[in-house]
Structures are given as C-alpha cells and as structure tokens.
Short mmCIF file of all heavy atoms in Angstrom, two decimals:
data_model
loop_
_atom_site.label_atom_id
_atom_site.label_comp_id
_atom_site.label_asym_id
_atom_site.label_seq_id
_atom_site.Cartn_x
_atom_site.Cartn_y
_atom_site.Cartn_z
N LEU C 1 -4.97 -0.38 6.85
CA LEU C 1 -3.69 -1.07 6.92
C LEU C 1 -3.87 -2.58 6.78
O LEU C 1 -3.10 -3.26 6.10
CB LEU C 1 -2.98 -0.74 8.23
CG LEU C 1 -1.55 -1.25 8.37
CD1 LEU C 1 -0.67 -0.73 7.24
CD2 LEU C 1 -0.96 -0.85 9.72
N GLN C 2 -4.94 -3.11 7.41
CA GLN C 2 -5.23 -4.54 7.27
C GLN C 2 -5.49 -4.91 5.82
O GLN C 2 -5.07 -5.96 5.34
CB GLN C 2 -6.44 -4.91 8.14
CG GLN C 2 -6.86 -6.37 8.03
CD GLN C 2 -5.82 -7.35 8.53
OE1 GLN C 2 -4.92 -6.96 9.26
NE2 GLN C 2 -5.94 -8.60 8.13
N LEU C 3 -6.16 -4.02 5.10
CA LEU C 3 -6.45 -4.29 3.70
C LEU C 3 -5.17 -4.30 2.86
O LEU C 3 -5.05 -5.06 1.91
CB LEU C 3 -7.44 -3.26 3.15
CG LEU C 3 -8.08 -3.57 1.80
CD1 LEU C 3 -8.76 -4.92 1.82
CD2 LEU C 3 -9.08 -2.49 1.43
N TYR C 4 -4.21 -3.46 3.23
CA TYR C 4 -2.91 -3.50 2.55
C TYR C 4 -2.30 -4.90 2.68
O TYR C 4 -1.75 -5.46 1.72
CB TYR C 4 -1.96 -2.47 3.17
CG TYR C 4 -2.04 -1.09 2.55
CD1 TYR C 4 -3.19 -0.32 2.63
CD2 TYR C 4 -0.96 -0.54 1.89
CE1 TYR C 4 -3.26 0.94 2.08
CE2 TYR C 4 -1.00 0.73 1.33
CZ TYR C 4 -2.17 1.46 1.44
OH TYR C 4 -2.23 2.72 0.89
N PHE C 5 -2.37 -5.47 3.88
CA PHE C 5 -1.80 -6.80 4.08
C PHE C 5 -2.59 -7.86 3.32
O PHE C 5 -2.01 -8.80 2.77
CB PHE C 5 -1.78 -7.14 5.58
CG PHE C 5 -0.56 -6.63 6.28
CD1 PHE C 5 -0.56 -5.40 6.91
CD2 PHE C 5 0.61 -7.38 6.31
CE1 PHE C 5 0.56 -4.92 7.55
CE2 PHE C 5 1.74 -6.91 6.95
CZ PHE C 5 1.72 -5.68 7.57
N LEU C 6 -3.91 -7.72 3.28
CA LEU C 6 -4.72 -8.69 2.56
C LEU C 6 -4.41 -8.68 1.07
O LEU C 6 -4.40 -9.72 0.40
CB LEU C 6 -6.20 -8.42 2.80
CG LEU C 6 -6.70 -8.67 4.22
CD1 LEU C 6 -8.14 -8.20 4.36
CD2 LEU C 6 -6.58 -10.14 4.59
N CYS C 7 -4.17 -7.49 0.52
CA CYS C 7 -3.85 -7.40 -0.91
C CYS C 7 -2.47 -7.95 -1.24
O CYS C 7 -2.21 -8.35 -2.37
CB CYS C 7 -3.94 -5.94 -1.38
SG CYS C 7 -5.62 -5.31 -1.50
N ALA C 8 -1.58 -7.95 -0.24
CA ALA C 8 -0.24 -8.50 -0.46
C ALA C 8 -0.29 -10.02 -0.29
O ALA C 8 0.44 -10.61 0.51
CB ALA C 8 0.74 -7.87 0.53
N HIS C 9 -1.18 -10.67 -1.04
CA HIS C 9 -1.48 -12.08 -0.88
C HIS C 9 -0.34 -12.95 -1.40
O HIS C 9 0.31 -12.62 -2.40
CB HIS C 9 -2.77 -12.43 -1.63
CG HIS C 9 -3.37 -13.73 -1.22
ND1 HIS C 9 -3.04 -14.91 -1.81
CD2 HIS C 9 -4.29 -14.02 -0.25
CE1 HIS C 9 -3.72 -15.89 -1.24
NE2 HIS C 9 -4.48 -15.38 -0.30
N PRO C 10 -0.05 -14.08 -0.71
CA PRO C 10 1.05 -14.95 -1.15
C PRO C 10 0.91 -15.48 -2.57
O PRO C 10 1.90 -15.88 -3.17
CB PRO C 10 1.01 -16.10 -0.13
CG PRO C 10 0.36 -15.52 1.08
CD PRO C 10 -0.65 -14.54 0.56
N SER C 11 -0.33 -15.52 -3.09
CA SER C 11 -0.52 -16.03 -4.45
C SER C 11 -0.06 -15.04 -5.52
O SER C 11 0.01 -15.39 -6.70
CB SER C 11 -1.99 -16.38 -4.69
OG SER C 11 -2.81 -15.22 -4.61
N LEU C 12 0.25 -13.81 -5.12
CA LEU C 12 0.70 -12.79 -6.05
C LEU C 12 2.20 -12.55 -5.92
O LEU C 12 2.77 -12.70 -4.84
CB LEU C 12 -0.02 -11.46 -5.77
CG LEU C 12 -1.54 -11.42 -5.97
CD1 LEU C 12 -2.09 -10.09 -5.49
CD2 LEU C 12 -1.88 -11.63 -7.44
N THR C 13 2.83 -12.18 -7.03
CA THR C 13 4.21 -11.72 -6.94
C THR C 13 4.21 -10.38 -6.21
O THR C 13 3.19 -9.66 -6.20
CB THR C 13 4.82 -11.53 -8.33
OG1 THR C 13 4.12 -10.47 -9.02
CG2 THR C 13 4.75 -12.80 -9.16
N PRO C 14 5.33 -9.99 -5.59
CA PRO C 14 5.37 -8.69 -4.91
C PRO C 14 4.98 -7.53 -5.82
O PRO C 14 4.24 -6.63 -5.42
CB PRO C 14 6.83 -8.59 -4.46
CG PRO C 14 7.25 -10.01 -4.25
CD PRO C 14 6.54 -10.78 -5.34
N ALA C 15 5.46 -7.55 -7.08
CA ALA C 15 5.14 -6.45 -8.00
C ALA C 15 3.65 -6.38 -8.28
O ALA C 15 3.06 -5.29 -8.32
CB ALA C 15 5.92 -6.63 -9.30
N SER C 16 3.00 -7.54 -8.47
CA SER C 16 1.57 -7.55 -8.74
C SER C 16 0.77 -7.13 -7.52
O SER C 16 -0.23 -6.43 -7.62
CB SER C 16 1.13 -8.94 -9.20
OG SER C 16 1.71 -9.26 -10.45
N ALA C 17 1.21 -7.57 -6.34
CA ALA C 17 0.53 -7.20 -5.10
C ALA C 17 0.58 -5.70 -4.88
O ALA C 17 -0.40 -5.07 -4.48
CB ALA C 17 1.15 -7.93 -3.91
N VAL C 18 1.74 -5.10 -5.15
CA VAL C 18 1.89 -3.65 -5.01
C VAL C 18 0.95 -2.93 -5.97
O VAL C 18 0.23 -2.00 -5.59
CB VAL C 18 3.35 -3.22 -5.25
CG1 VAL C 18 3.46 -1.70 -5.34
CG2 VAL C 18 4.24 -3.72 -4.12
N ALA C 19 0.95 -3.36 -7.23
CA ALA C 19 0.12 -2.70 -8.23
C ALA C 19 -1.36 -2.81 -7.88
O ALA C 19 -2.11 -1.84 -7.98
CB ALA C 19 0.39 -3.30 -9.61
N LEU C 20 -1.80 -4.00 -7.45
CA LEU C 20 -3.20 -4.20 -7.11
C LEU C 20 -3.60 -3.33 -5.92
O LEU C 20 -4.67 -2.71 -5.92
CB LEU C 20 -3.44 -5.67 -6.77
CG LEU C 20 -4.86 -6.05 -6.34
CD1 LEU C 20 -5.86 -5.76 -7.46
CD2 LEU C 20 -4.92 -7.51 -5.94
N THR C 21 -2.74 -3.24 -4.92
CA THR C 21 -3.06 -2.45 -3.73
C THR C 21 -3.10 -0.97 -4.05
O THR C 21 -3.99 -0.24 -3.57
CB THR C 21 -2.05 -2.72 -2.61
OG1 THR C 21 -1.84 -4.12 -2.49
CG2 THR C 21 -2.54 -2.16 -1.29
N LEU C 22 -2.17 -0.51 -4.84
CA LEU C 22 -2.17 0.90 -5.22
C LEU C 22 -3.45 1.27 -5.96
O LEU C 22 -4.00 2.36 -5.76
CB LEU C 22 -0.96 1.22 -6.10
CG LEU C 22 0.41 1.19 -5.42
CD1 LEU C 22 1.51 1.36 -6.46
CD2 LEU C 22 0.52 2.27 -4.37
N ARG C 23 -3.93 0.35 -6.78
CA ARG C 23 -5.14 0.64 -7.56
C ARG C 23 -6.40 0.52 -6.70
O ARG C 23 -7.27 1.38 -6.73
CB ARG C 23 -5.24 -0.33 -8.74
CG ARG C 23 -6.42 -0.06 -9.66
CD ARG C 23 -6.23 1.21 -10.46
NE ARG C 23 -7.41 1.55 -11.22
CZ ARG C 23 -8.39 2.34 -10.79
NH1 ARG C 23 -8.31 2.87 -9.57
NH2 ARG C 23 -9.42 2.61 -11.55
N ALA C 24 -6.50 -0.56 -5.94
CA ALA C 24 -7.75 -0.85 -5.22
C ALA C 24 -7.87 -0.09 -3.91
O ALA C 24 -8.97 0.29 -3.52
CB ALA C 24 -7.85 -2.35 -4.94
N VAL C 25 -6.76 0.13 -3.23
CA VAL C 25 -6.80 0.74 -1.90
C VAL C 25 -6.21 2.15 -1.91
O VAL C 25 -6.75 3.06 -1.28
CB VAL C 25 -6.05 -0.13 -0.86
CG1 VAL C 25 -6.31 0.39 0.55
CG2 VAL C 25 -6.46 -1.58 -0.98
N GLY C 26 -5.09 2.31 -2.60
CA GLY C 26 -4.43 3.61 -2.59
C GLY C 26 -5.14 4.66 -3.41
O GLY C 26 -4.90 5.85 -3.24
N GLY C 27 -6.01 4.22 -4.34
CA GLY C 27 -6.77 5.18 -5.13
C GLY C 27 -6.00 5.76 -6.29
O GLY C 27 -6.46 6.72 -6.93
N LEU C 28 -4.82 5.21 -6.63
CA LEU C 28 -4.05 5.73 -7.75
C LEU C 28 -4.63 5.22 -9.06
O LEU C 28 -5.21 4.14 -9.12
CB LEU C 28 -2.58 5.31 -7.63
CG LEU C 28 -1.67 6.20 -6.80
CD1 LEU C 28 -2.12 6.22 -5.34
CD2 LEU C 28 -0.22 5.73 -6.89
N THR C 29 -4.45 6.00 -10.10
CA THR C 29 -4.88 5.56 -11.42
C THR C 29 -3.86 4.59 -12.00
O THR C 29 -2.70 4.53 -11.56
CB THR C 29 -5.03 6.75 -12.37
OG1 THR C 29 -3.73 7.34 -12.61
CG2 THR C 29 -5.97 7.81 -11.79
N THR C 30 -4.28 3.84 -13.01
CA THR C 30 -3.36 2.93 -13.67
C THR C 30 -2.18 3.69 -14.26
O THR C 30 -1.03 3.22 -14.22
CB THR C 30 -4.10 2.15 -14.78
OG1 THR C 30 -5.21 1.45 -14.21
CG2 THR C 30 -3.17 1.16 -15.46
N ARG C 31 -2.43 4.89 -14.77
CA ARG C 31 -1.34 5.69 -15.35
C ARG C 31 -0.32 6.07 -14.29
O ARG C 31 0.89 5.99 -14.52
CB ARG C 31 -1.92 6.94 -16.00
CG ARG C 31 -0.87 7.84 -16.63
CD ARG C 31 -1.49 9.06 -17.28
NE ARG C 31 -0.49 9.88 -17.93
CZ ARG C 31 -0.77 11.03 -18.54
NH1 ARG C 31 -2.02 11.47 -18.60
NH2 ARG C 31 0.19 11.73 -19.12
N GLN C 32 -0.79 6.48 -13.11
CA GLN C 32 0.14 6.86 -12.05
C GLN C 32 0.97 5.68 -11.59
O GLN C 32 2.17 5.81 -11.33
CB GLN C 32 -0.65 7.46 -10.88
CG GLN C 32 -1.25 8.82 -11.17
CD GLN C 32 -2.25 9.23 -10.11
OE1 GLN C 32 -2.95 8.41 -9.53
NE2 GLN C 32 -2.32 10.52 -9.83
N ILE C 33 0.34 4.51 -11.49
CA ILE C 33 1.08 3.33 -11.08
C ILE C 33 2.11 2.95 -12.14
O ILE C 33 3.24 2.57 -11.82
CB ILE C 33 0.11 2.16 -10.83
CG1 ILE C 33 -0.92 2.54 -9.76
CG2 ILE C 33 0.87 0.92 -10.39
CD1 ILE C 33 -2.06 1.55 -9.62
N ALA C 34 1.73 3.06 -13.40
CA ALA C 34 2.67 2.75 -14.49
C ALA C 34 3.88 3.68 -14.44
O ALA C 34 5.02 3.24 -14.65
CB ALA C 34 1.95 2.88 -15.84
#
C-alpha cells in the first residue's frame, strides 16, 4: 500500500500515476491497462 502512494507521485498526472502503478505494482500488462 505504501508503494501505491509512492507511485502516485506529485510530479505525475493522475492518469500517468495510475498507469505506472498498475504496471509496476499491480502486475497488469500494458494491454490490460490500455
């Protein structure tokens, strides 16, 4: 959960933060996120 917050970094837009977290932490593929 802490890593979810770290990935939601202020330097990213909300959409980019969500996509990055889904890929790096959630384990989803790029296709699934798309």
